[in-house]
Amino acid sequence: MATNGATTNSSSSSGSSNSGQPASEQQAGSTMNSITQVFPPIVELNVGGVFYTTSLTTLQKDPESLLGQMFSGKSKTPVLRDSKGKFFVDRDGVLFRYILDYLRNQKLVLPENFSERERLKNEAEYYALQDMVESLTVPKSLSPIDPSFLVKTTCGTITVSYRGTFAFGRDGLADVKFRKLNRILVSGRVTLCREVFGDTLNESRDPDRGAVDRYSSRFFLKHTFLEQAFDMLVLAGYKCQGSCGSSTAGGMMVDKKPGMDSEEDRWNHYNEFVWVRE
């Protein structure tokens, strides 16, 4: 009797073979050649630790693909199950959502500024989804390494900004003021920002990090030296075309941040500098 995910073994027709093989070996070979799996109409998957639920017809949408072979009983090896009975596939579970979407819609739809095309292409190649692989292949004329692309991206604008205050001296040095910056922010085209600031650019707060042909306002520098940032821009051929800033608070702030000195709170301000390379 066959159950979902269980194997149905055909019995050996005789205890011996004409080839002279022992009856036990002949029966084992016959059993392996006849392994089949019965799949439910709704399939629960565990792909690299990420759970999915989909229909059997979706998985069989492309009969030539690996998933089509696996879930139609044509695979040479049975699909494994995890401890909870879900069918297990040892691949990237996060990217599998795009594989599943492609099978459902028969077209490739990715989020704006999707940054893992190469990894997804690798997954599509593994699942033998040739049309999806072709959709993920960037034409040579649009490749970032194409010389015409590089020429177009040499010009551009980078905005550097910061929020700061002044740290006041202590122990009789109240007249001494030091500039105090919390963070230097960088906005602009990703390729230009990386070119100018290199390893000093922190991209950890950018959700779409990885892609290059896009803009971001989520970069910041790993240091707080404003003049160092300006020097790097000058060396890269940029000129400061404009700046603006907010005035200090002046009076005492009503909602002072916990742990902030009242004098520092008074001098909070924001400045922004626009750098252009033509």
Side-chain angles (χ1 to χ4, degrees), residues 30-271:
S30 175
T31 300
M32 291 183 65
N33 290 333
S34 60
I35 287 180
T36 59
Q37 284 185 286
V38 179
F39 300 98
I42 303 299
V43 181
E44 293 186 330
L45 300 169
N46 175 352
V47 184
V50 182
F51 300 149
Y52 292 91
T53 301
T54 187
S55 66
L56 183 61
T57 55
T58 296
L59 297 173
Q60 297 174 343
K61 188 70 67 71
D62 187 345
E64 300 301 321
S65 69
L66 179 61
L67 291 171
Q69 297 285 320
M70 291 171 60
F71 290 94
S72 62
K74 297 179 181 179
S75 177
K76 295 180 181 180
T77 56
V79 185
L80 300 177
R81 287 178 179 264
D82 64 8
S83 59
K84 296 184 179 180
K86 302 179 188 294
F87 292 101
F88 179 74
V89 181
D90 190 16
R91 297 298 295 182
D92 191 312
V94 176
L95 292 179
F96 186 76
R97 60 178 294 188
Y98 303 111
I99 300 291
L100 208 55
D101 284 344
Y102 179 81
L103 290 173
R104 288 167 176 159
N105 304 316
Q106 291 296 287
K107 63 179 180 180
L108 182 64
V109 180
L110 297 176
E112 184 178 357
N113 298 327
F114 182 71
S115 61
E116 297 188 278
R117 293 182 73 94
E118 283 301 315
R119 292 186 60 190
L120 181 57
K121 180 181 175 182
N122 185 57
E123 293 299 300
E125 289 173 345
Y126 174 80
Y127 291 112
L129 294 167
Q130 189 57 39
D131 289 343
M132 185 176 182
V133 172
E134 293 177 359
S135 298
L136 287 165
T137 302
V138 179
K140 185 177 180 181
S141 60
L142 298 179
S143 174
I145 63 175
D146 186 76
S148 61
F149 180 89
L150 294 176
V151 171
K152 294 177 182 178
T153 57
T154 55
C155 305
T157 303
I158 293 178
T159 301
V160 175
S161 57
Y162 73 89
R163 185 179 299 279
T165 183
F166 289 97
F168 288 78
R170 296 292 185 272
D171 300 328
L173 297 176
D175 60 325
V176 180
K177 307 179 184 66
F178 300 97
R179 186 178 63 194
K180 181 178 180 180
L181 306 185
N182 295 324
R183 183 171 291 174
I184 298 176
L185 308 176
V186 176
S187 304
R189 190 184 300 152
V190 172
T191 48
L192 299 180
C193 295
R194 289 174 177 170
E195 174 202 342
V196 173
F197 298 109
D199 293 338
T200 65
L201 189 67
N202 192 324
E203 302 182 37
S204 62
R205 298 296 179 89
D206 183 35
D208 299 315
R209 58 184 181 276
V212 293
D213 188 21
R214 61 183 179 86
Y215 291 81
S216 176
S217 59
R218 303 295 296 275
F219 292 156
F220 62 94
L221 299 183
K222 298 177 182 178
H223 61 80
T224 56
F225 304 109
L226 192 60
E227 288 74 19
Q228 180 180 346
F230 290 171
D231 285 345
M232 297 179 80
L233 284 159
V234 170
L235 290 173
Y238 286 81
K239 295 182 180 180
C240 185
Q241 299 291 345
S243 64
C244 63
S246 65
S247 61
T248 57
M252 296 295 292
M253 301 296 293
V254 178
D255 299 322
K256 186 177 69 174
K257 293 182 179 179
M260 177 174 280
D261 183 82
S262 58
E263 280 298 310
E264 290 185 13
D265 202 17
R266 288 181 56 192
W267 291 90
N268 267 326
H269 61 282
Y270 175 82
N271 284 339

Side-chain angles (χ1 to χ4, degrees), residues 8-14 26-27 30-31 34:
T8 304
N9 301 337
S10 64
S11 60
S12 176
S13 59
S14 63
Q26 178 72 11
Q27 184 175 2
S30 175
T31 300
S34 60

